[in-house]
Amino acid sequence: NAGVTQTPKFQVLKTGQSMTLQCAQDMNHEYMSWYRQDPGMGLRLIHYSVGAGITDQGEVPNGYNVSRSTTEDFPLRLLSAAPSQTSVYFCASSYKGGQGGYGYTFGSGTRLTVV
Amino acid sequence: KNQVEQSPQSLIILEGKNCTLQCNYTVSPFSNLRWYKQDTGRGPVSLTIMTFSENTKSNGRYTATLDADTKQSSLHITASQLSDSASYICVVSGGNRDDKIIFGKGTRLHILP
Protein backbone atom coordinates (compact mmCIF):
# COMPACT_ATOMS: atom_id res chain seq x y z
CA ASN A 1 0.00 0.00 0.00
CA ALA A 2 2.00 2.99 -1.28
CA GLY A 3 -0.57 5.73 -0.49
CA VAL A 4 -0.25 8.76 -2.77
CA THR A 5 2.69 8.72 -5.15
CA GLN A 6 3.85 11.84 -6.95
CA THR A 7 6.42 12.04 -9.71
CA PRO A 8 8.77 13.66 -10.34
CA LYS A 9 10.02 14.96 -6.99
CA PHE A 10 11.94 17.81 -8.60
CA GLN A 11 11.64 19.50 -12.00
CA VAL A 12 13.12 22.53 -13.70
CA LEU A 13 11.32 23.93 -16.73
CA LYS A 14 11.99 26.76 -19.11
CA THR A 15 9.29 29.38 -19.59
CA GLY A 16 6.80 28.19 -22.19
CA GLN A 17 7.50 24.49 -21.78
CA SER A 18 4.72 22.09 -20.91
CA MET A 19 4.80 19.10 -18.61
CA THR A 20 2.63 16.74 -16.62
CA LEU A 21 2.91 16.11 -12.91
CA GLN A 22 1.83 12.58 -12.12
CA CYS A 23 -0.23 11.50 -9.13
CA ALA A 24 -1.41 8.00 -8.33
CA GLN A 25 -3.15 6.52 -5.29
CA ASP A 26 -3.80 2.88 -4.45
CA MET A 27 -6.38 3.36 -1.68
CA ASN A 28 -9.45 3.41 -3.96
CA HIS A 29 -10.18 6.98 -2.85
CA GLU A 30 -12.91 8.83 -4.71
CA TYR A 31 -11.65 12.31 -4.04
CA MET A 32 -8.35 13.66 -5.38
CA SER A 33 -6.98 17.19 -5.39
CA TRP A 34 -4.00 19.23 -6.47
CA TYR A 35 -2.61 22.00 -4.29
CA ARG A 36 0.27 24.38 -4.59
CA GLN A 37 2.22 25.66 -1.61
CA ASP A 38 4.13 28.92 -1.78
CA PRO A 39 6.26 30.53 0.96
CA GLY A 40 4.17 32.45 3.47
CA MET A 41 0.89 31.15 2.08
CA GLY A 42 -1.42 28.30 2.93
CA LEU A 43 -1.98 25.48 0.47
CA ARG A 44 -4.18 26.64 -2.37
CA LEU A 45 -6.46 24.34 -4.32
CA ILE A 46 -5.80 24.16 -8.07
CA HIS A 47 -8.23 21.47 -9.26
CA TYR A 48 -10.09 18.64 -7.66
CA SER A 49 -12.04 15.56 -8.63
CA VAL A 50 -14.86 13.77 -6.83
CA GLY A 51 -14.59 10.67 -8.98
CA ALA A 52 -13.47 9.26 -12.31
CA GLY A 53 -14.58 11.48 -15.17
CA ILE A 54 -15.42 14.44 -12.91
CA THR A 55 -13.16 17.42 -12.30
CA ASP A 56 -13.69 20.96 -11.08
CA GLN A 57 -11.69 24.11 -10.58
CA GLY A 58 -10.29 25.27 -7.29
CA GLU A 59 -8.98 28.64 -6.18
CA VAL A 60 -6.07 28.97 -8.65
CA PRO A 61 -6.85 26.91 -11.78
CA ASN A 62 -5.42 29.18 -14.49
CA GLY A 63 -2.56 27.66 -16.43
CA TYR A 64 -3.34 24.10 -15.31
CA ASN A 65 -5.42 21.28 -16.74
CA VAL A 66 -6.45 18.00 -15.14
CA SER A 67 -8.23 14.83 -16.14
CA ARG A 68 -9.48 11.83 -14.19
CA SER A 69 -9.85 8.89 -16.52
CA THR A 70 -9.32 6.33 -13.73
CA THR A 71 -9.91 6.31 -9.97
CA GLU A 72 -6.20 5.83 -9.35
CA ASP A 73 -4.63 8.61 -11.44
CA PHE A 74 -5.02 12.37 -11.41
CA PRO A 75 -2.35 14.08 -13.55
CA LEU A 76 -1.81 17.83 -13.52
CA ARG A 77 -0.73 19.45 -16.77
CA LEU A 78 1.05 22.74 -17.09
CA LEU A 79 0.19 24.06 -20.52
CA SER A 80 2.86 26.76 -20.92
CA ALA A 81 5.02 27.13 -17.83
CA ALA A 82 5.53 30.56 -16.33
CA PRO A 83 7.86 31.69 -13.50
CA SER A 84 4.76 32.37 -11.37
CA GLN A 85 4.15 28.62 -11.37
CA THR A 86 7.36 27.99 -9.45
CA SER A 87 6.04 26.25 -6.35
CA VAL A 88 5.73 22.98 -4.49
CA TYR A 89 2.80 20.94 -5.73
CA PHE A 90 0.94 18.43 -3.59
CA CYS A 91 -1.52 15.83 -4.67
CA ALA A 92 -3.99 14.54 -2.09
CA SER A 93 -6.69 11.91 -1.95
CA SER A 94 -9.55 11.12 0.39
CA TYR A 95 -12.25 8.48 0.73
CA LYS A 96 -15.12 10.92 0.61
CA GLY A 97 -13.56 14.35 0.56
CA GLY A 98 -12.86 16.92 3.20
CA GLN A 99 -16.46 17.36 4.29
CA GLY A 100 -17.07 13.72 5.05
CA GLY A 101 -14.84 13.68 8.09
CA TYR A 102 -12.20 11.71 6.26
CA GLY A 103 -8.73 13.16 6.28
CA TYR A 104 -6.73 13.77 3.19
CA THR A 105 -3.62 11.73 2.44
CA PHE A 106 -0.98 13.88 0.81
CA GLY A 107 1.81 12.89 -1.53
CA SER A 108 5.38 13.95 -0.79
CA GLY A 109 5.27 16.82 -3.25
CA THR A 110 6.84 17.96 -6.51
CA ARG A 111 9.16 20.95 -6.33
CA LEU A 112 8.87 22.82 -9.62
CA THR A 113 11.10 25.66 -10.73
CA VAL A 114 10.34 27.63 -13.89
CA VAL A 115 13.22 29.70 -15.23
CA LYS B 1 -14.60 36.09 3.60
CA ASN B 2 -13.68 32.58 4.74
CA GLN B 3 -10.33 32.71 6.49
CA VAL B 4 -8.16 30.65 8.80
CA GLU B 5 -5.64 32.56 10.88
CA GLN B 6 -2.91 30.82 12.84
CA SER B 7 -0.66 32.16 15.54
CA PRO B 8 2.13 32.44 16.24
CA GLN B 9 3.82 32.36 12.83
CA SER B 10 6.81 30.62 14.38
CA LEU B 11 7.71 29.32 17.80
CA ILE B 12 10.94 28.11 19.37
CA ILE B 13 10.90 26.01 22.54
CA LEU B 14 13.25 23.70 24.38
CA GLU B 15 12.89 19.96 24.16
CA GLY B 16 10.60 18.63 26.87
CA LYS B 17 8.54 21.81 27.18
CA ASN B 18 4.86 22.12 26.32
CA CYS B 19 3.40 24.55 23.80
CA THR B 20 0.06 25.63 22.39
CA LEU B 21 -0.68 26.73 18.84
CA GLN B 22 -3.76 28.78 18.00
CA CYS B 23 -6.19 28.77 15.08
CA ASN B 24 -9.04 31.24 14.56
CA TYR B 25 -11.43 30.84 11.66
CA THR B 26 -14.31 32.63 10.00
CA VAL B 27 -15.37 29.75 7.73
CA SER B 28 -19.12 29.34 7.51
CA PRO B 29 -20.88 27.00 7.36
CA PHE B 30 -18.58 24.81 9.39
CA SER B 31 -18.09 21.11 8.73
CA ASN B 32 -14.90 20.06 10.48
CA LEU B 33 -11.45 21.24 11.56
CA ARG B 34 -8.21 19.36 11.16
CA TRP B 35 -4.69 19.84 12.34
CA TYR B 36 -1.91 18.62 10.06
CA LYS B 37 1.81 18.25 10.70
CA GLN B 38 4.13 18.97 7.80
CA ASP B 39 7.78 18.02 8.07
CA THR B 40 10.23 19.90 5.86
CA GLY B 41 10.13 18.57 2.32
CA ARG B 42 7.16 16.30 2.99
CA GLY B 43 3.42 16.44 2.52
CA PRO B 44 1.07 17.26 5.42
CA VAL B 45 -0.01 14.40 7.67
CA SER B 46 -3.30 14.49 9.56
CA LEU B 47 -3.07 14.69 13.37
CA THR B 48 -6.65 15.24 14.50
CA ILE B 49 -10.08 15.98 13.11
CA MET B 50 -13.01 17.51 14.99
CA THR B 51 -16.59 18.09 13.98
CA PHE B 52 -18.98 20.69 15.37
CA SER B 53 -20.02 18.57 18.34
CA GLU B 54 -16.51 17.66 19.47
CA ASN B 55 -14.49 20.00 21.66
CA THR B 56 -11.35 17.95 22.26
CA LYS B 57 -9.43 15.22 20.46
CA SER B 58 -6.11 13.65 21.37
CA ASN B 59 -3.47 11.85 19.36
CA GLY B 60 -0.63 10.81 21.64
CA ARG B 61 1.11 13.95 22.88
CA TYR B 62 -1.07 16.14 20.65
CA THR B 63 -4.37 17.46 21.99
CA ALA B 64 -6.64 19.63 19.91
CA THR B 65 -9.51 21.69 21.26
CA LEU B 66 -12.37 23.35 19.45
CA ASP B 67 -14.73 26.10 20.53
CA ALA B 68 -17.28 26.34 17.75
CA ASP B 69 -19.00 29.31 19.39
CA THR B 70 -15.91 31.51 19.33
CA LYS B 71 -14.53 29.77 16.22
CA GLN B 72 -11.23 29.01 17.85
CA SER B 73 -9.08 25.91 18.01
CA SER B 74 -5.81 25.12 19.69
CA LEU B 75 -3.23 22.37 19.37
CA HIS B 76 -1.37 21.54 22.57
CA ILE B 77 1.87 19.58 22.37
CA THR B 78 3.03 17.95 25.58
CA ALA B 79 6.63 17.08 26.45
CA SER B 80 7.95 18.20 23.07
CA GLN B 81 10.50 16.13 21.20
CA LEU B 82 13.01 17.10 18.52
CA SER B 83 10.84 15.26 15.99
CA ASP B 84 8.02 17.72 16.68
CA SER B 85 9.95 20.35 14.73
CA ALA B 86 7.65 20.98 11.78
CA SER B 87 4.93 23.23 10.45
CA TYR B 88 1.46 22.73 11.93
CA ILE B 89 -1.42 23.59 9.68
CA CYS B 90 -5.01 24.24 10.71
CA VAL B 91 -7.54 23.31 8.03
CA VAL B 92 -11.24 24.14 8.18
CA SER B 93 -13.86 22.55 5.94
CA GLY B 94 -17.04 24.45 5.18
CA GLY B 95 -19.96 23.37 3.05
CA ASN B 96 -20.22 20.29 0.91
CA ARG B 97 -17.56 20.88 -1.72
CA ASP B 98 -13.82 20.41 -1.64
CA ASP B 99 -13.24 23.96 -2.79
CA LYS B 100 -14.60 25.02 0.58
CA ILE B 101 -11.58 23.67 2.43
CA ILE B 102 -9.50 26.55 3.80
CA PHE B 103 -5.87 26.10 4.87
CA GLY B 104 -4.14 28.25 7.42
CA LYS B 105 -0.61 29.42 6.68
CA GLY B 106 0.77 27.28 9.45
CA THR B 107 2.89 27.72 12.55
CA ARG B 108 6.53 26.80 12.20
CA LEU B 109 7.67 25.05 15.41
CA HIS B 110 11.36 24.61 16.24
CA ILE B 111 12.38 22.35 19.11
CA LEU B 112 15.84 23.00 20.49
CA PRO B 113 17.84 20.32 22.35
Side-chain angles (χ1 to χ4, degrees):
Chain A
N1 189 339
V4 177
T5 302
Q6 288 184 237
T7 56
K9 292 190 181 301
F10 302 93
Q11 182 71 50
V12 178
L13 289 179
K14 293 182 179 179
T15 298
Q17 285 185 316
S18 62
M19 79 158 294
T20 299
L21 279 63
Q22 301 291 344
C23 176
Q25 52 93 8
D26 61 357
M27 298 171 284
N28 202 32
H29 284 172
E30 296 179 11
Y31 284 64
M32 296 187 74
S33 303
W34 275 102
Y35 292 89
R36 60 178 288 174
Q37 187 174 40
D38 300 295
M41 303 187 72
L43 279 84
R44 292 183 293 169
L45 181 65
I46 305 171
H47 286 284
Y48 67 101
S49 168
V50 300
I54 305 170
T55 64
D56 209 341
Q57 295 182 349
E59 180 185 357
V60 288
N62 292 339
Y64 307 95
N65 273 356
V66 292
S67 60
R68 186 91 182 273
S69 57
T70 67
T71 299
E72 294 79 19
D73 300 299
F74 192 42
L76 177 72
R77 282 183 291 277
L78 278 71
L79 308 174
S80 177
S84 61
Q85 293 179 303
T86 294
S87 186
V88 181
Y89 292 84
F90 288 100
C91 177
S93 74
S94 174
Y95 178 51
K96 279 196 177 293
Q99 286 64 241
Y102 299 90
Y104 270 93
T105 299
F106 284 83
S108 57
T110 295
R111 185 174 295 274
L112 176 68
T113 302
V114 182
V115 297
Chain B
K1 180 181 177 182
N2 289 328
Q3 287 186 318
V4 175
E5 300 287 343
Q6 291 187 244
S7 61
Q9 269 192 328
S10 64
L11 181 63
I12 302 173
I13 63 172
L14 294 176
E15 184 180 13
K17 298 297 185 182
N18 304 335
C19 67
T20 300
L21 314 180
Q22 300 291 341
C23 173
N24 296 340
Y25 62 93
T26 58
V27 179
S28 181
F30 173 84
S31 178
N32 58 67
L33 184 147
R34 294 186 180 81
W35 283 93
Y36 282 86
K37 178 187 179 187
Q38 185 176 21
D39 293 312
T40 301
R42 307 297 296 272
V45 175
S46 181
L47 292 175
T48 64
I49 178 171
M50 289 179 291
T51 58
F52 184 88
S53 60
E54 298 174 295
N55 55 24
T56 187
K57 185 71 71 76
S58 292
N59 179 358
R61 294 179 297 101
Y62 301 101
T63 299
T65 64
L66 173 65
D67 186 333
D69 292 330
T70 61
K71 299 187 177 181
Q72 296 180 325
S73 176
S74 65
L75 180 69
H76 186 75
I77 304 175
T78 303
S80 61
Q81 301 176 358
L82 296 178
S83 59
D84 293 330
S85 292
S87 288
Y88 291 85
I89 303 172
C90 176
V91 184
V92 180
S93 294
N96 297 317
R97 290 163 34 147
D98 273 25
D99 60 349
K100 302 305 181 189
I101 298 174
I102 311 296
F103 285 77
K105 296 180 182 180
T107 292
R108 180 69 192 169
L109 177 63
H110 303 269
I111 310 296
L112 299 180

